[in-house]
């Protein structure tokens, strides 16, 4: 909840609750390994994945001095059906 992209609510408890209520992805792009210096913000709890805590789903990093955010799925549109304000806040935070 400390990163602007994952801060769905200013209150940390409500932020965790919002993340727990969002529909999970059906498909998560595989990652061979995490890049050095990258910060995984959200992980997918995939039992087939190897590594610490699951497959990275949302990762923050810097490239050429600028921030980069990698999202390992394309299904955040599903969030609008259950939490339109959370969906908007996520994408405003990302941009």
């Amino acid at each position: 909840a400390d990163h602007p992209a994952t801060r769905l609510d200013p209150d940390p408890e409500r932020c965790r609750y919002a993340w727990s209520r969002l529909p999970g992805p059906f498909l998560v792009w595989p990652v061979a390994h995490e890049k050095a210096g990258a910060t995984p913000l959200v992980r997918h709890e995939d039992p087939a994945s190897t590594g610490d805590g699951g497959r990275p789903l949302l990762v923050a990093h810097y490239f050429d001095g600028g921030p980069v955010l990698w999202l390992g799925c394309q299904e955040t549109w599903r969030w609008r059906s259950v939490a339109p304000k959370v969906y908007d806040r996520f994408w405003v935070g990302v941009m």
Side-chain angles (χ1 to χ4, degrees):
D2 291 338
H3 194 276
T6 58
R7 197 175 304 124
L8 302 180
D9 194 285
D11 179 349
E13 275 302 308
R14 289 194 315 225
C15 181
R16 279 190 286 281
Y17 178 74
W19 275 106
S20 73
R21 303 284 297 160
L22 294 174
F26 291 115
L27 173 69
V28 176
W29 287 297
V31 174
H33 59 86
E34 294 175 19
K35 189 171 183 174
T39 305
L41 303 174
V42 177
R43 291 183 181 271
H44 182 264
E45 295 178 6
D46 180 3
S49 69
T50 58
D52 298 329
R55 210 177 261 182
L57 183 60
L58 183 64
V59 179
H61 197 26
Y62 283 89
F63 182 76
D64 265 350
V68 175
L69 196 67
W70 179 82
L71 180 60
C73 75
Q74 58 184 8
E75 299 169 17
T76 58
W77 62 269
R78 297 176 56 224
W79 299 356
R80 286 188 309 193
S81 65
V82 295
K85 289 181 183 178
V86 168
Y87 173 85
D88 291 342
R89 185 169 187 110
F90 173 77
W91 282 108
V92 166
V94 166
M95 294 302 137

